[in-house]
Amino acid sequence: MTVQDADRMSFAEEWERWHRAHEQALADPHGFLAITSLRWLSPEPTRFEDAPGAWSSGPEGVVVELADGEELTIDGTAVHGRYVFGAIAERDSLYAGYGDAVIEIAKRGGHDIVRPRHPGNPLRTAFTHTPAYAPDPRWVRGGRYLPFYEPRAITVGAVAEGLEHVYDAPGQVEFELADGETFRLTAFNGKRPGSLMVLLTDATSGVTTYAANRSLQIDAPDEAGRVTLDFNRATNLPCAYTDLATCPLPPTENRLPVAIEAGERIPLERGGHP
């Protein structure tokens, strides 16, 4: 075995560990695959078959009115009767226990929503894996972070019809592909402090990868502004698996005209191939 072969094997093994952990999080008993419905709240208290209580959204924020014998657990404390969750910030979520289920209370696109998550949901229990391109080091590209003078509020569409999301974009990332062509992607704040996240589509979208969007996490730039884009770790968003999601669409400039044949492919649940 050559040094190059060993390096490729190590690269593939590291990717496999990362993807296995990613799949485990996706299939968590209360993860996105466990969602049984998406409820848009209104001022009128409304009951839902997969959650206790009558739910509404008004001047007090989100309110639930639990009937006799109904109970939620919030921060380890059992609550009964009328409970006020209050105003919820955009893209925040609160979680209340309900037996072996969890009720997510959230705000998306300016609207208060409730999403019950039941471990026994068939979408979760039938989940096996997500197809993906074989990891390939050639899809790891060095790039440059180009910060804006100040963050820009970027409005993007959503997979939910009529919904919009607004994200603060701190800057863009610039990179080249093998043919030397340069591209720039608008970046949003990532999961970890200083890190970045880009939403994108490319020429594989709707062919071998999910049509609406893909997500790529990028580690924080170094002192010289250098970043690494590992497209092998481009992942599906929850909407690739379920219609009960409100995922954002990429900004127009993040729709690449080239084929990025790396990362997760169309899920089996959406007709993808192993």
Side-chain angles (χ1 to χ4, degrees):
M1 178 184 296
T2 66
V3 172
Q4 186 177 16
D5 289 338
D7 287 345
R8 289 183 69 91
M9 183 175 295
S10 176
F11 179 85
E13 289 173 350
E14 183 179 351
W15 180 89
E16 288 286 354
R17 286 192 294 271
W18 165 81
H19 198 236
R20 192 159 47 246
H22 177 72
E23 298 268 82
Q24 288 172 351
L26 177 66
D28 182 88
H30 298 132
F32 261 95
L33 300 184
I35 293 175
T36 52
S37 66
L38 168 59
R39 311 293 189 173
W40 302 87
L41 302 184
S42 72
E44 181 67 26
T46 305
R47 298 188 65 88
F48 309 121
E49 62 183 11
D50 50 355
W55 297 81
S56 62
S57 174
E60 295 179 281
V62 175
V63 175
V64 63
E65 299 174 18
L66 298 166
D68 290 344
E70 292 183 325
E71 176 181 288
L72 289 172
T73 303
I74 301 171
D75 295 329
T77 301
V79 299
H80 306 88
R82 188 174 188 270
Y83 185 86
V84 179
F85 289 92
I88 299 173
E90 183 65 33
R91 286 191 294 280
D92 273 0
S93 292
L94 304 176
Y95 297 92
Y98 170 50
D100 68 349
V102 161
I103 311 300
E104 179 191 13
I105 305 98
K107 178 164 286 185
R108 299 292 184 267
H111 302 274
D112 289 323
I113 64 172
V114 163
R115 281 191 295 208
R117 301 179 180 219
H118 291 262
N121 188 35
L123 183 65
R124 192 193 80 84
T125 58
F127 176 75
T128 57
H129 70 286
T130 300
Y133 283 99
D136 189 335
R138 73 188 180 94
W139 288 112
V140 181
R141 312 301 301 177
R144 192 163 61 112
Y145 175 54
L146 306 172
F148 296 140
Y149 179 75
E150 60 182 25
R152 299 177 184 175
I154 305 293
T155 300
V156 297
V159 295
E161 186 176 355
L163 196 68
E164 290 184 331
H165 296 281
V166 180
Y167 289 88
D168 283 338
Q172 295 182 316
V173 291
E174 182 179 78
F175 67 99
E176 293 182 0
L177 292 180
D179 58 5
E181 191 171 3
T182 300
F183 299 95
R184 286 186 181 181
L185 298 171
T186 295
F188 302 132
N189 294 313
K191 295 179 179 178
R192 298 177 300 278
S195 68
L196 304 167
M197 183 271 288
V198 295
L199 300 171
L200 71 147
T201 58
D202 61 86
T204 70
S205 300
V207 182
T208 57
T209 64
Y210 185 60
N213 46 31
R214 292 208 273 169
S215 174
L216 180 64
Q217 296 289 328
I218 302 171
D219 287 341
D222 67 12
E223 293 181 356
R226 291 178 295 234
V227 294
T228 298
L229 295 85
D230 185 353
F231 289 103
N232 295 286
R233 301 194 180 195
T235 60
N236 292 319
L237 275 70
C239 54
Y241 303 88
T242 174
D243 293 335
L244 306 176
T246 62
C247 301
L249 301 177
T252 301
E253 63 272 19
N254 287 16
R255 301 177 185 274
L256 301 176
V258 294
I260 306 292
E261 296 178 321
E264 292 187 328
R265 300 165 64 110
I266 297 172
L268 302 175
E269 293 79 3
R270 296 290 197 183
H273 302 288

